[in-house]
Amino acid sequence: MGIFREIETAVHLLKSGELVGLPTETVYGLGANALDAEAVAKIFKAKNRPAFDPLIVHVASVEQASSIAHVSPTAKRLFEKFSPGPLTIILSKKSIVPDLTTSGHDTVGIRIPNHPLMLEVLERSNLCIAAPSANPFGYTSPTTASHVDQQLGDSIAGILDGGPCSVGIESTILDLTASPRILRLGGLPVEALEQELGPIEVQLSSSNPKAPGMLSAHYNPGVKVRLFDSLELLEAEASNINRSNVAMLVSGSAIERQHWFHLSKVGNDIEAASKLFSALRYLGGAGYDEIWTHLHPESGLGKAINDRLKRASFRTQ
Ligand code: TXA
Ligand code: MG
């Protein structure tokens, strides 16, 4: 079927136990009925995802979240403040959620996504929708419907086109099953959560089996990524060479030259995040041997961008 635009088609396919590529504000998800173990099994197969990596479940409201998890007062407050939006909260699950969805954990990650089409699919179907990022395991997350089509089009029923994702990096994951911990830096800055909860421990350990999406090597763009500690260091090194096989992926740089690609000319991390994955994907397939890029200032979305860049460059340097 490929890419389509009718919400009813997505609803029908999901209700029939099929896999559908779905737009969210962060990245495209590979959706299935979260309470149907057979449908969920198809997600793991299509993505080649290890069965120990639990899925995020998308819902339309706190009420719907309460049907599958024990929503604590703190979780309710955070959902009310930040949702719909790029926040996933890990809560203790109710038994209605199949073990396959949560990889056997007694917890479930829940998110209310901020995309009008996705919210309509959730509301009209009345389903809870399990949806990991719609990429083969280990690769860059998709931020357009055609990204999904290119990598997974043959193994899924179709993709609902909701345009390019506005946030562009995945949700922030907050574990509230014990004292609050961030398991993944993402589209909601940690600082925003800390304003509500006070200082929060950030535990991104790549060996953390609770969030295998955090493996060191993830977001593989297919070519070597060289990561500089700052824009200034990249610019200094780049001025010494003139190689057409290297693409520069920069933010906040005034340099206009062939093979230079700007995430945000003014160095705005919200704009940079929204373009990051599509830039990595494009440059990975544009015939370059290397991508040179740099760390961003460590605040707001800069932290989540740096996390992605470190993983994209891991072992490719
Ligand atoms: O922005 C997003 O969160 C996107 C969109 C589609 O919503 N989804 C996404 O899903 O990034 P995925 O599967 O690519 O990443 C989910 C991460 C994984 O690292 C997984 O290990 C972690 O969430 N996770 C899911 N359920 C969990 C749980 N119960 N406990 C700990 N980590 C969990
Ligand atoms: Mg993913």
Side-chain angles (χ1 to χ4, degrees):
M1 175 179 294
I3 297 171
F4 63 88
R5 288 175 182 277
E6 299 73 32
I7 290 170
E8 271 316 313
T9 307
V11 169
H12 170 76
L13 290 169
L14 289 163
K15 284 188 156 177
S16 317
E18 299 292 340
L19 298 186
V20 183
L22 295 168
T24 84
E25 81 282 26
T26 58
V27 301
Y28 272 72
L30 181 57
N33 178 356
L35 304 186
D36 174 348
E38 257 179 64
V40 167
K42 293 183 189 171
I43 294 181
F44 286 92
K45 185 154 181 269
K47 271 193 67 127
N48 196 18
R49 182 181 177 107
F52 59 76
D53 193 0
L55 304 177
I56 291 176
V57 178
H58 299 71
V59 297
S61 63
V62 176
E63 293 67 49
Q64 201 181 13
S66 304
S67 69
I68 57 168
H70 301 280
V71 181
S72 62
T74 304
K76 184 163 189 281
R77 183 160 62 86
L78 294 178
F79 276 134
E80 277 164 4
K81 174 103 191 172
F82 296 114
S83 293
L87 172 66
T88 296
I89 303 183
I90 310 291
L91 297 168
S92 85
K93 83 173 183 82
K94 293 190 171 169
S95 58
I96 188 173
V97 184
D99 281 342
L100 194 58
T101 306
T102 63
S103 299
H105 291 280
D106 53 10
T107 58
V108 58
I110 298 186
R111 173 162 124 74
I112 306 175
N114 189 17
H115 190 290
L117 298 194
M118 178 66 171
L119 283 171
E120 239 183 291
V121 170
L122 285 162
E123 276 159 14
R124 286 204 214 170
S125 68
N126 204 26
L127 294 174
C128 299
I129 300 179
S133 53
N135 51 279
F137 188 70
Y139 288 84
T140 307
S141 302
T143 53
T144 66
S146 62
H147 292 165
V148 183
D149 198 30
Q150 285 154 22
Q151 286 191 304
L152 293 175
D154 291 342
S155 39
I156 66 181
I159 304 135
L160 177 63
D161 190 357
C165 302
S166 57
V167 174
I169 51 177
E170 303 89 340
S171 60
T172 300
I173 302 182
L174 176 69
D175 183 356
L176 285 184
T177 56
S179 61
R181 272 184 321 159
I182 303 269
L183 301 183
R184 179 173 72 186
L185 297 166
L188 181 66
V190 177
E191 291 90 332
L193 286 167
E194 289 190 323
Q195 275 188 3
E196 295 298 312
L197 299 177
I200 309 174
E201 192 193 337
V202 177
Q203 199 183 72
L204 308 178
S205 160
S206 53
S207 58
N208 180 359
K210 281 196 89 176
M214 302 310 299
L215 292 172
S216 303
H218 217 75
Y219 308 110
N220 174 3
V223 297
K224 178 172 162 177
V225 177
R226 182 165 171 198
L227 183 59
F228 290 79
D229 284 342
S230 68
L231 171 64
E232 292 69 30
L233 289 171
L234 181 152
E235 288 184 341
E237 179 89 6
S239 67
N240 297 324
I241 63 141
N242 188 11
R243 284 160 53 185
S244 61
N245 64 335
V246 179
M248 307 296 168
L249 183 60
V250 293
S251 186
S253 171
I255 296 178
E256 293 281 358
R257 216 184 287 161
Q258 209 189 353
H259 312 304
W260 284 63
F261 299 86
H262 297 265
L263 286 173
S264 167
K265 288 201 173 152
V266 294
N268 176 334
D269 280 338
I270 296 177
E271 184 187 8
S274 73
K275 296 187 183 157
L276 178 66
F277 287 156
S278 57
L280 283 173
R281 193 177 278 263
Y282 169 73
L283 295 176
Y288 291 105
D289 294 330
E290 289 181 33
I291 300 168
W292 288 13
T293 189
H294 61 89
L295 293 175
H296 292 220
E298 271 278 318
S299 63
L301 290 191
K303 289 184 197 168
I305 291 173
N306 290 343
D307 171 83
R308 305 305 186 274
L309 290 175
K310 286 178 195 164
R311 292 173 206 283
S313 66
F314 188 78
R315 289 216 181 104
T316 72
Q317 298 221 33

